Amino acid sequence: MFERLVPTLAALVLVPALGAQAPATPSPTASRPFSLEDVLRVREVRDPQLSPDGAWVAYTVSTSDTTEDRNKSAVWMASWDGTRNIRLTTSKQGEDTPRWSPDGRWLAFLSSRDDEHTQLWLLDRQGGEGHKTTTFPSDVDDYVWAPDGKRVALVVADADTAKPKTPAPIVIDRFQFKQDEAGYLGKERRHLYVLDVESGKATALTSGDYDELLPAWSPDGKSLVFVSKRRRDFDRDSNWDLYVIDAAPSDAGGSTAPRRLTTFEGPDNDPDTESRPVWSPDGRSIAYLQGGPLKLIYYAVQRLAVVPAAGGAPRILTAALDRNVASPVWSGDGSAISFLLEDDRTVALARVPAAGGAIERLVSGPRVVSAFAAGATGRVAVLASTPLVPAEVFALDSAALRPLSRQNDAWLSRVALGDVEPISFRSRDGTAINGFVVKPPDFVSGRRYPTVLRIHGGPVSQFAHEFDFQLQTLAGHGYLVVVANPRGSSGRGERFSAAIFADWGNKDAQDVLAAVDYAVAQGLADPARLGVGGWSYGGILTNYVIAQDHRFKAAVSGASISNVLAGYGTDQYVREYEVELGVPWKAADTWVRLSFPFLHADRITTPTLFLCGDKDFNVPLLNSEQMYQALRSLGVATELVIYPGQHHGINKPSYRRDRLQRYLAWYDKHLKP
């Protein structure tokens, strides 16, 4: 919780020849370590989309515009042979979510370049400028092409038509009434529309007091499957279900009623997984993700399921796997389903027969691929990252990855990165824990270094074999960085993840402290110069750690909470709180026990820097203010940094740099006197 992170799933492949094709190690001519300036040089490549003929891969590139102090995204296109990379869009507002039409003529994308709201745009591959195809008085959140290429299914938010000079009072009558970035939740919902591409006319398919998300077309173009919670009190749990609806209005006018397809008492294709349900090529089955029982909330493993499109009991194809899966894709003949399979610090691209059977790992190894696209031609494009290279687009040729984009090559060639080494060790009770050590680029064997223990958020997330600019910033500044995946992390199965259920700051604190013990025992970390820090649940666990261990000379706690009682009703986690902890008036002992870093703040002696965005509804600022005030009252060195207008994620480029600069200054002050 506290970040509502679903584990990042990615396909991994270890290819010996890849190093010659993409910079897997620092350039021999690199003359400087990774710095604060490099944080804003990282070009974030995302969302590869293979053209129907397999000749091109569209993708997006997000960059930091330091002049306007904002992030900008543009659509690019790489040829399959890797010889050409073309930027297709250049507007000031930016573009994202590129999708090819089935015939390959159009490349669609979303943008607010000509409107205060995000609209659907089409770019004709035969030439010409992109043109806007929708004019909704609200945002288009998602879309998907119909098989005939003449229609597009849209997810569109209800319009907020009331914009008086003086804002109207906010009236709350929902169970969950706030959410980070969205703010206070009213009655606006997201509904399905079908757009006729030629005429530009959009017809509503759904309405009412429900959200309809992640639509997918049947192969014959007559139906859509989507995800919703169409029942009373839908705010009280995450019991999402699949529904099927006719893609055209009925003869009597209006839309036909959606047909509920799944009845599992738990999340069927939870939208937080960002995985769309998919029809089999013959239209008889739909593959999707089934979560765990509601009582396990986000600790549950996501499994691959297939349900008959006409209705019936689903089949779980990965029931014995005990690992998260995501992004299912049917093979062209419908005989198998490919998907992303998360494992310990890795994720594999895997395949399973549609009828059930043995799971085949197609690619594996210490590499993270955050997305993949498979086409009818049999070609597969993946978005791959390693600890030393940010994500780029690759073509999967047999068992090898061949680079298609090289967005980060130029600046990487001038930087010496710190080596990232996998580590394994035992926690206090003997539990095996895994993680990484990131060494300064000028590391000298036998020398002990000032060390920072960095803790990930989630808690259901993990440090994996992928590029992490925060770890490289610390290493480039001369710190040894230690990271671990304690109990509560993903990648090790449901039992490992749920081991901290209603027991935060206990087993997971022991596990991350064991990582520091390991680094000290290996002669890497200087036990007299130890720091700790994290964001979200990483900040929460930081507070637990410094309340029970005094060896740390400096701590950085970002967007954290310690007085858990203060979270009830002030953040977005009311459902999760009540499932995991019970309601405060019936389970006060649990709430008080988990609040010990605040209620026993007098045990903390570590100088601590607190940071948070003032618009954070995930882990609101008031929680950081309480801990700052407590340490200030106790005379412990502390400071509170508030980022105006920022939500749980700090997105403004200048603030991202400022945050890292403050990390370094705080650690330097206390670890490098």
Side-chain angles (χ1 to χ4, degrees):
M1 70 183 301
F2 303 116
E3 241 174 291
R4 197 57 181 97
L5 288 182
V6 175
T8 301
L9 298 185
L12 306 181
V13 60
L14 179 60
V15 185
L18 185 60
Q21 298 168 319
T25 57
S27 165
T29 60
S31 59
R32 60 175 179 80
F34 191 90
S35 70
L36 289 169
E37 283 64 39
D38 292 311
V39 171
L40 303 184
R41 293 188 179 105
V42 177
R43 301 170 70 85
E44 296 186 31
V45 179
R46 302 189 184 104
D47 205 5
Q49 298 291 323
L50 196 61
S51 64
D53 60 7
W56 294 89
V57 180
Y59 61 94
T60 63
V61 179
S62 180
T63 57
S64 299
D65 186 325
T66 55
T67 301
E68 296 189 7
D69 202 13
R70 60 188 295 266
N71 302 307
K72 289 186 178 180
S73 178
V75 177
W76 287 66
M77 185 172 68
S79 60
W80 184 254
D81 62 10
T83 60
R84 288 176 289 173
N85 267 266
I86 304 170
R87 180 171 178 171
L88 300 177
T89 64
T90 58
S91 79
K92 180 178 179 180
Q93 290 77 12
E95 301 81 19
D96 57 41
T97 321
R99 299 291 184 267
W100 300 93
S101 63
D103 62 3
R105 176 183 174 183
W106 303 100
L107 182 60
F109 56 84
L110 297 179
S111 178
S112 59
R113 58 161 69 178
D114 188 42
D115 197 297
E116 64 175 311
H117 297 291
T118 299
Q119 305 291 347
L120 179 68
W121 289 69
L122 294 182
L123 186 66
D124 192 339
R125 289 191 64 198
Q126 297 177 358
E129 296 291 328
H131 66 274
K132 184 171 64 175
T133 62
T134 62
T135 56
F136 289 100
S138 57
D139 292 332
V140 176
D141 290 339
D142 186 20
Y143 72 98
V144 60
W145 284 94
D148 60 13
K150 298 179 180 180
R151 296 167 295 161
V152 178
L154 308 169
V155 176
V156 183
D158 287 343
D160 182 5
T161 57
K163 294 184 178 180
K165 183 176 181 180
T166 299
I170 299 172
V171 179
I172 302 295
D173 63 358
R174 293 179 56 168
F175 180 73
Q176 182 188 3
F177 64 90
K178 62 196 308 186
Q179 184 174 326
D180 196 41
E181 298 191 19
Y184 288 105
L185 302 178
K187 294 185 179 296
E188 291 80 16
R189 302 287 182 261
R190 290 167 288 178
H191 297 299
L192 299 183
Y193 290 74
V194 171
L195 172 74
D196 181 275
V197 174
E198 183 175 353
S199 69
K201 180 182 178 181
T203 303
L205 283 186
T206 62
S207 61
D209 192 25
Y210 311 106
D211 286 311
E212 291 96 18
L213 308 172
L214 298 172
W217 290 89
S218 61
D220 62 9
K222 295 181 179 180
S223 303
L224 285 161
V225 64
F226 63 91
V227 180
S228 186
K229 294 190 290 185
R230 299 176 67 85
R231 62 184 184 283
R232 295 183 62 184
D233 289 336
F234 59 84
D235 272 342
R236 287 186 174 269
D237 58 46
S238 294
N239 190 8
W240 296 91
D241 283 304
L242 300 185
Y243 291 81
V244 175
I245 190 172
D246 291 342
S250 65
D251 294 336
S255 302
T256 57
R259 171 171 55 89
R260 184 179 175 184
L261 192 59
T262 58
T263 59
F264 172 65
E265 289 296 320
D268 287 310
N269 221 104
D270 189 329
D272 282 339
T273 66
E274 299 183 355
S275 294
R276 195 182 301 274
V278 286
W279 297 74
S280 61
D282 62 10
R284 296 180 179 178
S285 302
I286 297 172
Y288 67 99
L289 303 184
Q290 185 184 92
L294 292 174
K295 65 182 180 181
L296 278 183
I297 48 177
Y298 37 68
Y299 296 112
V301 163
Q302 302 292 319
R303 297 176 172 86
L304 177 62
V306 173
V307 65
R315 293 178 292 110
I316 309 301
L317 302 185
T318 60
L321 185 61
D322 194 27
R323 292 293 187 271
N324 285 309
V325 303
S327 305
V329 174
W330 289 85
S331 61
D333 60 5
S335 65
I337 302 172
S338 296
F339 56 93
L340 301 178
L341 190 164
E342 184 187 38
D343 211 335
D344 174 28
R345 294 170 293 178
T346 69
V347 185
L349 176 60
R351 180 172 59 198
V352 65
I359 295 171
E360 176 187 6
R361 301 197 181 208
L362 303 177
V363 290
S364 60
R367 181 168 282 110
V368 165
V369 179
S370 50
F372 78 102
T377 61
R379 291 177 172 176
V380 178
V382 297
L383 186 64
S385 173
T386 68
L388 300 182
V389 182
E392 298 281 2
V393 181
F394 293 82
L396 179 60
D397 288 340
S398 299
L401 289 181
R402 176 171 51 82
L404 297 182
S405 71
R406 299 178 181 272
Q407 294 286 339
N408 290 287
D409 280 13
W411 68 266
L412 274 176
S413 67
R414 301 188 294 271
V415 175
L417 297 175
D419 287 337
V420 182
E421 298 181 3
I423 58 174
S424 297
F425 49 90
R426 296 282 175 180
S427 190
R428 183 186 305 171
D429 62 1
T431 301
I433 304 298
N434 303 320
F436 298 93
V437 165
V438 185
K439 297 178 177 178
D442 58 354
F443 177 82
V444 177
S445 181
R447 175 183 170 187
R448 290 187 181 271
Y449 286 82
T451 298
V452 174
L453 168 66
R454 190 73 186 163
I455 306 174
H456 69 65
V460 187
S461 179
Q462 67 168 336
F463 285 110
H465 289 274
E466 61 187 332
F467 186 82
D468 189 318
F469 68 86
Q470 293 197 23
L471 305 188
Q472 288 295 342
T473 301
L474 289 166
H477 201 68
Y479 289 102
L480 182 84
V481 188
V482 180
V483 300
N485 292 320
R487 278 167 283 190
S489 302
S490 58
R492 298 274 298 275
E494 196 166 87
R495 183 178 179 183
F496 189 87
S497 179
I500 66 168
F501 189 94
D503 191 24
W504 314 331
N506 181 16
K507 299 182 183 71
D508 48 1
Q510 296 174 22
D511 297 345
V512 296
L513 288 171
V516 176
D517 295 338
Y518 172 88
V520 171
Q522 294 295 310
L524 302 172
D526 184 344
R529 293 187 291 169
L530 299 176
V532 62
W535 194 268
S536 194
Y537 191 81
I540 295 169
L541 190 50
T542 292
N543 298 344
Y544 282 114
V545 164
I546 60 177
Q548 58 189 289
D549 194 308
H550 292 170
R551 74 177 108 169
F552 296 97
K553 301 299 188 292
V556 169
S557 180
S560 66
I561 182 174
S562 290
N563 178 12
V564 183
L565 281 161
Y568 188 87
T570 65
D571 64 31
Q572 65 185 33
Y573 291 106
V574 62
R575 294 179 307 201
E576 292 83 358
Y577 281 134
E578 292 197 355
V579 170
E580 187 170 359
L581 308 184
V583 293
W585 49 91
K586 290 185 178 180
D589 289 349
T590 300
W591 289 76
V592 169
R593 173 171 54 84
L594 296 183
S595 299
F596 84 80
F598 176 71
L599 298 180
H600 297 284
D602 54 347
R603 300 181 184 182
I604 298 175
T605 60
T606 303
T608 305
L609 172 68
F610 296 98
L611 310 94
C612 194
D614 71 347
K615 301 298 184 184
D616 190 342
F617 275 11
N618 191 314
V619 189
L621 173 61
L622 72 94
N623 302 293
S624 296
E625 290 174 329
Q626 284 193 315
M627 283 302 292
Y628 163 78
Q629 192 69 70
L631 296 196
R632 193 71 178 171
S633 176
L634 290 163
V636 177
T638 187
E639 190 173 286
L640 174 63
V641 179
I642 302 169
Y643 292 103
Q646 297 299 286
H647 301 284
H648 195 59
I650 305 300
N651 293 319
K652 189 179 285 290
S654 64
Y655 288 162
R656 295 207 317 269
R657 187 188 186 282
D658 179 89
R659 178 173 59 173
L660 280 171
Q661 188 172 31
R662 292 181 187 278
Y663 287 179
L664 297 177
W666 192 259
Y667 288 133
D668 285 354
K669 179 179 180 180
H670 299 284
L671 303 184
K672 297 180 179 180

